[in-house]
Amino acid sequence: MALYNVGKTIREARIRAGVSQEELCFGICSTPTLSKIEGCKQNPNKKTMEALLQRLGLPVGIYNISVTETEFKRASIEREIENKIAGSDYDIQELLERYRTLDKEMDALEEQFYLFMNALCQKALHTALNEVLALLEKAMCCTVPTFTLQGTGIHPLMTEIELMILNTIAKTEYTLQKKESAISRMYAVRNYFLHCPIDSVVFGTQYPVILFNLSNWEGLQNNFEAELALAEEGIEVCNKYGKLAYFEMLIFNKGFALASLNKKKEAKRFFAQAFYIMDAKNKQKHKLYGIKYVNEQFGYDFLEE
């Protein structure tokens, strides 16, 4: 039975994808370092390994590598931060400071994580959004040094955190009324998900978020056919991958698009489904707001209870 070193896996996947070493390691590590990793002469650290695998669309959870004590501590703090963010708890300043001040200076990938989480924290604390955008731009430049907020293009190979940063940049731009830039950027991210290498777990988790944001924005511009198509695509992805974080919101958007297209009877069925799921998820605030809104907007008779 053949034994696969992570470097061998990276090399074989890179060659299959027709990607040069320079393209793959851009902003992550030097070309000579990647050459040593692929030749099984050097083991990457944990974050470098994950970034290289993600850019190739490969899963990151099947390889065991040695880590230093500092890397282990930083990884543990990362998990704490991510768990808090997942629970909408942005009280992470103390954790971020611990992360930053550990024994070894942060490398580019660790600094990117630190800056991105700090940007999310500052956004939750209602820091001026232009300052949040500056943090997000700085985070992106850690691994894509050529990135600027003025462009909406996408680097040919992206990691999960790079895609998340772009999504957050677009949402922040939209809030700042930079709608054209936000929508162009989000559609570019969507195009990446559709045509570039993405691990199935990342795709199933992150792609519905992109579709939800775009369906919202198209609906706000009265592009209801586009809103409907994006919401339906998102629902299909949620069902296929079993990732339901945005499921009820996409169903709600589908109902809204249908009602706006004067298909109110069909729309009511989807609103009812969305409210049922919100109830099951104990999202009463969302449910009551949604019921009040569609009753007033479309003349429905959902009970506000």
Side-chain angles (χ1 to χ4, degrees):
M1 179 183 294
L3 296 177
Y4 274 73
N5 179 283
V6 66
K8 183 178 180 180
T9 302
I10 289 169
R11 179 177 182 276
E12 291 178 351
R14 179 182 61 76
I15 292 172
R16 282 197 305 272
V19 174
S20 70
Q21 288 185 328
E22 291 79 6
E23 289 171 322
L24 176 58
C25 70
F26 179 74
I28 294 176
C29 63
S30 68
T31 305
T33 296
L34 177 58
S35 184
K36 291 177 184 177
I37 291 170
E38 290 189 344
C40 303
K41 296 177 181 178
Q42 177 177 324
N43 285 324
N45 64 35
K46 180 178 182 293
K47 291 191 77 67
T48 298
M49 177 192 73
E50 291 175 348
L52 293 171
L53 290 171
Q54 286 175 1
R55 283 191 173 179
L56 291 166
L58 298 174
V60 301
I62 60 174
Y63 297 96
N64 292 318
I65 60 169
S66 299
V67 296
T68 66
E69 182 179 359
T70 301
E71 288 170 344
F72 177 79
K73 288 179 179 177
R74 277 212 171 101
S76 298
I77 297 172
E78 280 190 21
R79 284 194 296 272
E80 286 187 68
I81 292 171
E82 289 167 343
N83 287 337
K84 277 181 167 283
I85 296 293
S88 299
D89 180 357
Y90 292 90
D91 183 17
I92 58 173
Q93 295 97 319
E94 187 271 334
L95 286 170
L96 285 171
E97 186 62 14
R98 280 171 49 201
Y99 187 87
R100 185 184 67 83
T101 56
L102 282 172
D103 302 336
K104 179 178 171 292
E105 185 178 344
M106 295 184 294
D107 62 21
L109 293 166
E110 291 167 337
E111 184 178 4
Q112 183 174 64
F113 176 86
Y114 169 80
L115 289 169
F116 180 40
M117 294 299 113
N118 192 27
L120 294 179
C121 177
Q122 294 305 315
K123 191 174 183 181
L125 293 172
H126 305 293
T127 299
L129 289 180
N130 282 322
E131 294 181 30
V132 173
L133 267 183
L135 276 173
L136 291 167
E137 182 180 34
K138 191 175 179 181
M140 196 68 193
C141 286
C142 288
T143 54
V144 186
T146 55
F147 176 80
T148 66
L149 291 172
Q150 287 66 47
T152 56
I154 300 290
H155 190 263
L157 296 171
M158 305 288 287
T159 65
E160 181 179 7
I161 194 170
E162 289 167 344
L163 291 165
M164 292 169 69
I165 293 169
L166 289 176
N167 175 46
T168 308
I169 288 173
K171 289 169 63 179
T172 306
E173 287 177 323
Y174 196 90
T175 304
L176 285 168
Q177 300 301 308
K178 300 178 181 180
K179 295 182 180 180
E180 184 176 346
S181 174
I183 292 171
S184 295
R185 196 182 305 281
M186 196 69 84
Y187 268 112
V189 175
R190 179 190 182 222
N191 189 61
Y192 185 92
F193 272 85
L194 290 175
H195 301 292
C196 297
I198 295 279
D199 173 54
S200 60
V201 174
V202 176
F203 188 94
T205 303
Q206 298 298 329
Y207 191 47
V209 182
I210 306 304
L211 295 173
F212 171 69
N213 290 327
L214 284 171
S215 68
N216 273 348
W217 296 348
E218 293 290 10
L220 289 169
Q221 295 189 119
N222 297 328
N223 297 328
F224 301 120
E225 293 284 2
E227 179 186 26
L228 178 61
L230 289 161
E232 287 180 331
E233 184 182 0
I235 292 166
E236 182 180 346
V237 172
C238 288
N239 279 321
K240 180 177 179 179
Y241 291 91
K243 304 294 184 180
L244 305 179
Y246 283 78
F247 190 50
E248 72 279 5
M249 304 307 294
L250 286 159
I251 293 174
F252 181 90
N253 282 9
K254 180 174 181 176
F256 186 90
L258 288 168
S260 300
L261 292 166
N262 294 317
K263 299 179 180 179
K264 292 181 63 178
K265 183 176 180 180
E266 185 179 356
K268 187 173 184 179
R269 178 163 58 90
F270 289 100
F271 284 135
Q273 288 179 10
F275 297 145
Y276 179 82
I277 297 171
M278 290 175 193
D279 196 43
K281 286 186 172 183
N282 199 27
K283 293 186 174 182
Q284 298 301 317
K285 186 176 179 180
H286 291 82
K287 175 188 171 184
L288 293 175
Y289 175 83
I291 287 174
K292 182 178 181 180
Y293 184 81
V294 300
N295 283 352
E296 293 176 354
Q297 184 80 7
F298 301 112
Y300 288 117
D301 56 357
F302 290 105
L303 295 177
E304 298 183 37
E305 57 181 23

